[in-house]
Every structure is written in C-alpha cells, then in structure tokens.
Amino acid sequence: MSENGGVPRPVTRVVQDRYEDCIYLPGQVARCPARAPASPLTPAQLDLLLEEGDQRVGGTVFRTECPFCSACEPVRIDISCFSPSRSQRRVIRKNADLRVELGPPTLSRRRVALWNRHRRVRGLLTDHSRRDPTGYSEWLVESCAPTTEVRYFLEDRLVAVSLLDLGVTSANSAYHYFDPAHADRSLGVYSVLHEIEHCRGLGMRWYYLGLWAKDCGALRYKSGYHPHERLVRGRWVPGERLPRDPG
C-alpha cells in the first residue's frame, strides 16, 4: 500500500526501454522506460502516479531516466489559484466561436491526418514515429487510465483534439494536437485554459501539463501558467514566475 491515503500501488512491468535522440534538446540522449500496468489505473492510482512524476502514453506510463541529462521536469498547475493573464484572456475571446465536445478517445481518418499534419509542422516526427491508424490507436485511443477526448470544432470542422486523463483530484493533459492552418488562434493555449476551467468545475486541484525544460523553446510556454509547480529531484517546488504580460 502507498502512503497516499491507502491507495494500492499499481503493479507495472517494463515493456520498452531504449536509448534514442531527445526530441526536446538536440544532442542529448533520452531514455524513458515504458511500463504497462497489470490492470487499468483507477482515478486514485492515476493521482498517485502523477504526484510521483509519471507521464502516460497509450497503455503505458513512464518517467525520464536519461543518462546524461535531468533537464525535463514534470509541471502541474494549481487550479484553485490559477487566473489567466491578459494575453491568455485574449486567446479565450479569440476562440469564443469554437464548439467543444467531450467523449471517449476515437479513431478516425480525419484525426490521423490532423495528427500527422500537426507533428510534421511541429518537427515532432522521428525515425520511431508511427503515422498509420494503428500507431494513432496505440498512442491516443488505447489508455491505461480514465481518459476523455476533448474535441474542438470550428463550425463542423475538427481543428484540435486533447486527451485528458481524469483522476480524483488531478487531471493530466496527456496529449494535444491542432490544425496548423489555425496556428494564429493559439489552440494549444486555449485548450489548456478551457480544460483548467472544466477541471475546476469538477472540483479538482491539479492540472498536470507534461514536461518542462528550461532550454527547450517548445516547452517553455508552460512557465506562463501561474501558479505552477515543477518536480525537482523528487520534490514539488514553486516554478519560477515569468513577468505578467503587459497586455
């Protein structure tokens, strides 16, 4: 049993472990052993693993165990204290015409095409990347946690998708992709803001936002949500606060 309110610790086994080029920091070697839970995680077990620094991909969880680098740190936002900045409020207004739906993770041709288009433009395709429906299903439909798909529509067109894991007191932004044709809308920012408010309505405390690294421009935006904490050497500490934007 864990110390987290008597929640039974999930049994996991390593199903993949390899060294590869880091997609966040050029020149670094990444190692993220993937562990498969023996049974689906309960909401309370999800809370426990997120608290300890786990990330989720498909039916597995992992923590970074890179041999020469410890730059990546898990990030979480304190929902109870969060308020959007001026620029974030502008993003909310800019996307007021979007329709948002919730449902189970789903496989479709338009999702696979949008996912690949997003990754190609963002430079996230690697030699190990899957581009086919099977890869999409393994990555974004299958899940070892209680997961909801958040769908963002402009009229009847799907323009963004999030995978949101829901625990008892915590939510985990497991993945997000959007249509690069609408990059001017800041859909990634909008999804975070919308989902924080959704989780606030559910009475949750923490919104986990994946990994942050100081020297990675693609991850640095996560410092813009306040207040937030980062897991540093096994302890959650307040994240550095960027100056509030002037408007």
Side-chain angles (χ1 to χ4, degrees):
M1 303 290 282
S2 78
E3 297 178 0
N4 188 23
V7 177
R9 180 171 297 282
V11 176
T12 64
R13 64 183 180 89
V14 175
V15 294
Q16 180 176 288
D17 189 0
R18 67 184 178 215
Y19 295 97
E20 55 190 328
D21 293 338
C22 180
I23 63 173
Y24 297 129
L25 298 174
Q28 291 292 348
V29 176
R31 179 183 177 225
C32 305
R35 310 184 330 269
S39 58
L41 300 174
T42 67
Q45 287 175 328
L46 176 65
D47 285 348
L48 173 61
L49 292 185
L50 292 173
E51 173 80 20
E52 294 179 346
D54 270 307
Q55 313 295 310
R56 181 192 69 78
V57 173
T60 65
V61 294
F62 72 90
R63 300 177 197 176
T64 55
E65 297 182 14
C66 306
F68 310 115
C69 178
S70 58
C72 288
E73 299 167 351
V75 178
R76 66 183 185 183
I77 298 167
D78 188 339
I79 295 173
S80 64
C81 302
F82 174 78
S83 63
S85 67
R86 288 183 181 179
S87 65
Q88 289 166 350
R89 290 197 295 271
R90 286 199 299 270
V91 171
I92 293 172
R93 292 193 295 270
K94 181 182 292 187
N95 290 284
D97 56 342
L98 296 187
R99 183 177 84 257
V100 183
E101 295 181 358
L102 304 179
T106 303
L107 175 66
S108 70
R109 289 182 179 177
R110 64 176 174 174
R111 285 171 171 79
V112 175
L114 184 59
W115 175 56
N116 283 322
R117 192 157 64 247
H118 173 265
R119 291 190 298 160
R120 186 173 298 109
V121 170
R122 303 281 285 182
L124 297 176
L125 288 176
T126 70
D127 292 340
H128 297 291
S129 297
R130 294 288 296 273
R131 297 166 170 82
D132 58 355
T134 300
Y136 184 95
S137 182
E138 291 175 351
W139 192 269
L140 299 176
V141 177
E142 298 175 14
S143 178
C144 57
T147 303
T148 295
E149 184 183 74
V150 188
R151 307 153 187 162
Y152 297 86
F153 291 90
L154 179 59
E155 296 180 345
D156 293 326
R157 182 178 180 182
L158 183 69
V159 295
V161 174
S162 292
L163 283 304
L164 187 65
D165 301 332
L166 298 174
V168 178
T169 62
S170 308
N172 175 48
S173 178
Y175 201 86
H176 173 83
Y177 62 92
F178 62 86
D179 188 342
H182 295 282
D184 62 322
R185 285 178 169 267
S186 302
L187 291 168
V189 174
Y190 179 69
S191 70
V192 172
L193 299 172
H194 179 86
E195 290 157 22
I196 286 175
E197 288 309 306
H198 174 68
C199 294
R200 193 194 303 274
L202 297 176
M204 292 184 171
R205 173 68 187 277
W206 301 109
Y207 180 87
Y208 286 80
L209 197 53
L211 297 172
W212 174 91
K214 181 178 181 179
D215 295 326
C216 177
L219 301 178
R220 199 175 298 133
Y221 76 93
K222 298 178 184 183
S223 297
Y225 299 92
H226 304 294
H228 73 269
E229 298 181 350
R230 296 201 297 270
L231 188 61
V232 181
R233 293 185 291 277
R235 186 168 66 92
W236 287 98
V237 299
E240 62 189 40
R241 188 180 185 89
L242 297 180
R244 299 293 277 194
D245 52 81

